[in-house]
Amino acid sequence: MSSVLKAVRGTRDLLPPETALWNHVETVARSVFARYGFGEIRTPVIEPTELFSRGVGEETDIVSKEMYTWEDRARAASEKAQSLTLRPENTAGVVRAYIEHKLGETGRLQKLCYIGPQFRRERPQKGRYRQFFQIGAEVIGPPSSGSESPLRDAEVLEMLATLLDELGIARASAENNYKGWKLALNSVGSSTDRPRYVAALREALAPVKDKLCPDNQRRAETNPLRVLDSKDENDQAIIDSLPKIVDYLDAESKQHFADVLAALDACGVPYTVNPRLVRGLDYYTRTAFEFTMETGLGTQNALLGGGRYDGLSETIGGPKAPGIGFAIGEDRLILTLQALAEEKQSAEADNHLHAHKLDAYIAPLGTEQNAAALALASTLRRAGLSVEVGDGTFKMKKAIPLADTLARHLIILGEDEAKAGEATVKTLATGEQVRLSSSELPKRLSSAKP
Ligand code: HAM
């Protein structure tokens, strides 16, 4: 016997009824995005490798170890093979599209949202997959469109608070033992602040480097900012003593950050400033943030992340186009909602996790009624009812329990009924049974909808 094929490690099949919860989350996200003036963008899953090495950064974990990259076959001997990559994130692709379609020339602020799969070759575990889904949004435009304004940072964060509220995920409070969502943010400085800070970090790390774990020793060399978000227990005291980026911000960046915080206060969005938050992608400038959540996520507790990327467009050859955005890990959002449903904290999620019963199950008595049964199913489905139709070879003994698990009504279609243009309808919860003409059926079943 040949061996059984399975989904690739780190990828998964999503099955009903869980997919109903995915659809619900996406519907709520689309509804929120529309109210904030976002339009959907769909970029390809395949991009030139260079987009990420330049945009996200050669030294980042994503680019240096996690991308699915291959040389595409050249079409002709004279052509060079192109290096292609399955997108590990969507911001670089959105900015590429912004440049390619000259969206900046409209002079208007672009508000773009997306939902789709991303690919990273990480070690799979709960909440961490090699194909995962992100729900994200980007606000980008020429400086004259106001794209640099701290108002945009606060608007994006307030939109996220609204989205989580509408999904029934509470913010951390005494009431939920501080287990709701938490927003942490920081300013990682402008493109001129950052090199000054990185130089200071290198200097401070040099004399203590040998005391750090091997991973942090490597980071101290290649990307010292990454040392700051290390979770290594033994290194924490040293990391806490390192210079803080706030002390290296210029007056403008400081004011920008203060304005973001003031706008969040005005909107009632709770946050904590975490001076060690730097995030793993090189394009960030000024505001960087993360929402974490304990419920359902274990160690992979970053529900979403984002920030400002004022220089990204220029890094990949475009015009000046400051921007800010975020991406929610949809897989993690679903895990959170499932855990909340289990804890009975989200009736909404619970509702979406259970298969809904159909309006009716039609049981033809004998295969000669199959065609009439299918015709009746067609009429009812066109009338907006959800219907399953059985096969006439099924005996009543089998049809009734099957109908009971699938539907709220059983419609029996025997020879007599078919001849009279009627059907027998049994309400499965009560056992009540009536004979109705086929034309009365849609109305009767519609009025019995829950
Ligand atoms: P990121 O922090 O790399 O940022 O990813 C955002 C979110 O995607 C994470 O917080 C997490 O929830 C989810 N995520 C990342 N990797 C995985 C994985 N292997 N399995 C499951 N979920 C994962 C970005 O991707 C930026 N593009 C966000 C952004 C948009 N910044 C500005 N605009």
Side-chain angles (χ1 to χ4, degrees):
M1 208 174 75
S2 56
S3 59
V4 179
L5 290 172
K6 291 192 170 163
V8 172
R9 187 168 137 82
T11 73
R12 346 181 255 158
D13 302 307
L14 302 171
L15 307 172
E18 190 186 302
T19 37
L21 184 57
W22 285 72
N23 282 321
H24 166 67
V25 161
E26 291 170 14
T27 303
V28 174
R30 289 201 161 98
S31 147
V32 171
F33 290 158
R35 276 176 272 152
Y36 285 75
F38 284 79
E40 186 178 352
I41 180 166
R42 299 191 190 194
T43 60
V45 163
I46 307 170
E47 293 279 3
T49 304
E50 208 186 330
L51 175 66
F52 305 111
S53 50
R54 275 165 64 186
V56 174
E58 202 84 64
E59 301 296 341
T60 60
D61 282 354
I62 296 178
V63 174
S64 64
K65 4 182 231 215
E66 295 169 0
M67 296 203 305
Y68 287 95
T69 295
W70 70 99
E71 290 288 308
D72 203 29
R73 245 174 290 158
R75 270 181 306 159
S78 57
E79 223 182 54
K80 245 186 86 191
Q82 190 184 10
S83 179
L84 300 179
T85 290
L86 288 183
R87 64 181 184 198
E89 63 98 55
N90 217 5
T91 309
V94 169
V95 176
R96 179 201 48 70
Y98 170 93
I99 299 166
E100 191 165 333
H101 300 283
K102 301 189 169 53
L103 299 182
E105 288 178 14
T106 62
R108 282 194 311 272
L109 197 64
Q110 303 293 314
K111 289 179 139 183
L112 304 164
C113 60
Y114 51 85
I115 300 179
Q118 318 293 334
F119 305 85
R120 295 184 194 174
R121 203 174 184 290
E122 294 194 81
R123 199 168 51 76
Q125 65 181 84
K126 185 177 179 189
R128 199 207 270 154
Y129 311 99
R130 290 181 169 179
Q131 173 174 331
F132 60 97
F133 289 78
Q134 285 187 340
I135 301 179
E138 313 292 346
V139 182
I140 178 168
S144 60
S145 67
S147 55
E148 265 170 311
S149 168
L151 173 118
R152 294 299 158 206
D153 307 43
E155 185 187 33
V156 156
L157 290 163
E158 191 280 325
M159 176 168 83
L160 281 164
T162 299
L163 174 55
L164 295 176
D165 277 348
E166 293 194 10
L167 285 170
I169 302 179
R171 45 195 77 185
S173 69
E175 243 168 71
N176 54 33
N177 237 339
Y178 297 95
K179 277 193 159 172
W181 60 259
K182 291 185 193 127
L183 159 62
L185 76 169
N186 191 20
S187 175
V188 296
S190 68
S191 54
T192 48
D193 302 330
R194 210 126 57 112
R196 281 194 291 128
Y197 177 60
V198 172
L201 256 190
R202 276 191 203 281
E203 201 172 309
L205 279 166
V208 292
K209 212 184 82 186
D210 295 345
K211 299 195 190 104
L212 298 173
C213 71
D215 253 358
N216 280 335
Q217 289 192 15
R218 188 179 46 77
R219 289 182 184 132
E221 289 291 331
T222 57
N223 197 350
L225 283 175
R226 300 300 303 159
V227 175
L228 297 180
D229 59 11
S230 155
K231 305 233 160 43
D232 189 284
E233 290 273 324
N234 299 324
D235 293 355
Q236 295 308 310
I238 295 182
I239 298 171
D240 280 335
S241 71
L242 293 171
K244 306 247 175 322
I245 193 152
V246 278
D247 300 321
Y248 292 80
L249 300 183
D250 64 20
E252 244 183 284
S253 292
K254 259 191 198 146
Q255 188 60 49
H256 192 277
F257 195 47
D259 290 347
V260 174
L261 301 185
L264 290 178
D265 290 336
C267 300
V269 177
Y271 60 84
T272 47
V273 173
N274 175 0
R276 276 175 53 173
L277 184 91
V278 285
R279 310 226 347 102
L281 301 95
D282 281 355
Y283 50 62
Y284 289 116
T285 51
R286 295 192 168 165
T287 315
F289 58 85
E290 237 163 46
F291 280 63
T292 53
M293 182 79 200
E294 277 172 44
T295 312
L297 293 185
T299 54
Q300 299 305 306
N301 70 348
L303 189 60
L304 68 95
R308 189 163 265 294
Y309 43 86
D310 293 344
L312 176 56
S313 169
E314 288 149 293
T315 312
I316 58 174
K320 192 167 168 56
I324 179 157
F326 64 84
I328 304 172
E330 190 176 2
D331 305 72
R332 297 187 189 178
L333 192 57
I334 298 289
L335 283 171
T336 297
L337 287 169
Q338 285 169 331
L340 290 175
E342 245 163 59
E343 290 177 9
K344 296 275 170 272
Q345 283 187 42
S346 168
E348 178 81 7
D350 198 34
N351 185 27
H352 288 281
L353 273 174
H354 293 105
H356 290 284
K357 284 202 167 177
L358 302 170
D359 291 313
Y361 179 88
I362 304 176
L365 296 182
T367 48
E368 33 329 327
Q369 305 308 327
N370 272 357
L374 197 61
L376 178 60
S378 162
T379 306
L380 297 179
R381 287 165 173 163
R382 282 166 185 248
L385 295 155
S386 54
V387 174
E388 183 53 281
V389 57
D391 176 274
T393 53
F394 284 11
K395 295 276 173 292
M396 262 305 140
K397 243 166 106 183
K398 183 169 166 191
I400 292 178
L402 185 61
D404 206 21
T405 55
L406 288 179
R408 281 176 291 105
H409 297 95
L410 168 67
I411 300 178
I412 302 163
L413 204 62
E415 200 184 335
D416 280 3
E417 279 104 337
K419 268 194 195 138
E422 293 178 346
T424 300
V425 182
K426 187 181 171 89
T427 306
L428 289 158
T430 59
E432 182 198 342
Q433 198 163 309
V434 283
R435 200 161 147 156
L436 295 170
S437 77
S438 306
S439 57
E440 284 171 298
L441 259 178
K443 218 168 128 200
R444 177 67 167 243
L445 292 176
S446 298
S447 66
K449 269 185 177 292

